[in-house]
Amino acid sequence: MYEQVSHSLLNRILNDMKPDFHKRDLRHFYTRLGANFYAIHSLFEKLYGNVPDFEEYMLRLVEVLAKNYLDRPYDLQEIDITREEDHNWFLHQQWVGMALYLDGFAGNLQGLKEKIPYFQELGINLVHIMPILKSPAGKSDGGYAVSDFREINKQAGTLDDIRELAAAFRKHGILLTLDVVLNHTSSQHKWAEKTRQGDLQYQDYFFIFEDRNLPDMFEQAMPEVFPDTDPGNFTWDESIQGWVMTVFHDYQWDLNYSNPKVFLEMLDVILFWGNQGADIVRLDAVAFLWKELGTSCQNRPEAHLLLQLFKDCCQVTAPGLLFIAEAIVAPLEVIKYFGEDAVVAKECEIAYNATFMALLWEATATHNCKLLAHAIKSLPGKLDRATWLNYVRCHDDIGFGFDDEDIKNAGYDPGEHRRFLMKYLTGEFEGSYAGGQPFAFNEKNGDARVSGTLASLAGLEYAMAQQDVQEVDFAVRRILLLHSLIFSFGGIPLLYYGDEVGTFNDFSYLEDENRADDSRWMHRPRLNWETLARRDEPGTPEYTIFQELRKMIAIRKEIDAFADFNNRELVDMDNDHLFAFLRSSHPRYHQHPVEPIFVLANFDRHPQAADLKALSAYGFGDSRSLLDLFTGRPPHCFRNELILSPYQFCWLKNGVA
Ligand code: GLC
Ligand code: GLC
């Protein structure tokens, strides 16, 4: 019955559509629209069914889809079809990414194109350019305060440069990822400007309240993202004479998605960037999309409906375009951004694995893997056709958002353990080598997060300053160990620019008044290509880190079991310093079995023994037939034990003659 209603509506919409749509070859469009219309209509109705003129908005939605389909370049439409046919293409182990700030890495888009050989040298074939959409010159949260969703900053280049870069990347098999900041605009965006000028239609794009009643009620349940620099979630605006909801910085105005116009505008923006050649869009701060009084305003069911709707719409116009969810939330919440109650991903195909990232740092600080293993085990399985973005560092801070129950199960007190991690990573704990700095300290509850580059957090900066050869070696090993895990765990590894040569903290941001209060800038470096040239000078840490990572990437790409087909099993080694898992065939995915790989990682600064008996249950018990694919040699065994040196990892293959 319902389906019939939506079909007759669809027919009406198609009749009402502007005549020039009918003159074009819309075959694929109609097929995909027919296949997805029922879902799109029900989601749209769930969200906006009680808005007057609902059907008018529905018509406009289909027009946005059709217009963007017509604008979609022919070569991208071809790619759509290939990807629809090979719909698991992004789960393959060949993909290895890097996130970078354009100005700090290559200056501008032209410069980035010239760096293609560098990506190829390292083995990078997915590049995430941090936001370059037009943003104000002063404070802009590193570009996450967008003042025009269809323009890019002049210093970055032009739209032609983007399209040219996308084409050059495509030619070399590199995927382009761009940011779409869905949750908020800059206070200088024209919608905000119009609101300030009294245009009522734009007022409804945001949350604006004339007095403190509603803001005060909201505040009771809403946490603060930047409590030290931007306390509270509302900002008084003089010209409006009202309180504007600003969850992040006071110059970032939250968009009001209960207004269908906002949804349609942002859908148009996503499809626009897909049409400029983005293979993937990173959807920023998706957990925050829906605001509801009396709640934390994060992870609301409607935020999930919105993402499903964005996805289903994309399936009609640009099915080859993937979504990355940036949802840095509790472990059990993150996984929902793939979609719930669905076999395949219904929201975002890819999600930041913030849980794994934070756990890796926890294991590094404690030198043991109790919490890491517990927390990973208590996560539910993820959907098919969905994959993690595994990373060690990114442009943001590290937060300790583990589940309290997991911390307790690992034998720690949650509050105390978080305080210990904070002290350890900021070098305040006796014996710690880490050079992080606190970020977003909250006076009210004592919460804090950590900034710092990988190399500084892993102790390389400290060891170099001490000229301690042994500690330099350990720090380099820690850097490699952490990467070995994001390469083997299952998912797309995302390196952070500069980490491939062990870049240290950079405090020059303190001299810039627009950045000085945000310690995340210490790990957003301007790369020095003369230092990077040391990657070819044996004996330097730059050389060791770069060349070993390069080797790891090349080997990862050859290991079929590392593709992410939900084919990982954690193995308890009865030694808390060790983290171990098996990557093997998955009955549903692998018609031909893949060669199983046993991953072992030692988080301790002392050698550790792995009992071969524990490995024998998985067929890896015979030391004479094991080979470590990373070193290309048999692992070091003594009697019934496999010996791992400090911070060593192995990618073991079995059955060597
Ligand atoms: C995302 C970005 C972060 C930014 C925030 C607000 O979480 O990663 O850098 O501050 O959104 O846009
Ligand atoms: C919080 C937010 C995340 C944001 C980060 C910036 O973790 O959940 O979206 O990127 O803060 O520090």
Side-chain angles (χ1 to χ4, degrees), residues 364 367 433 455 458-460 463 468-482 545 602-607 645-648:
T364 307
H367 293 101
Y433 47 71
L460 184 60
D468 185 328
V469 181
Q470 168 74 85
E471 286 301 319
V472 169
D473 178 48
F474 277 2
V476 169
R477 284 162 177 251
R478 282 190 282 266
I479 291 172
L480 298 175
L481 172 76
L482 292 168
I545 298 172
N602 176 14
F603 274 82
D604 198 22
R605 55 188 292 122
H606 303 285
S645 32
Y647 306 112
Q648 194 194 337

Side-chain angles (χ1 to χ4, degrees), residues 141 144 184 226 248 252 282 284-285 326 395-396 520 524:
D141 192 18
Y144 283 106
H184 42 262
F226 302 125
F248 290 87
Q252 286 165 308
R282 173 193 182 275
D284 183 64
E326 192 255 350
H395 69 292
D396 277 333
R520 290 176 299 172
R524 297 171 175 180

Side-chain angles (χ1 to χ4, degrees), residues 272-287:
F272 174 80
W273 287 105
N275 285 352
Q276 306 312 305
D279 297 281
I280 305 176
V281 285
R282 173 193 182 275
L283 303 181
D284 183 64
V286 287

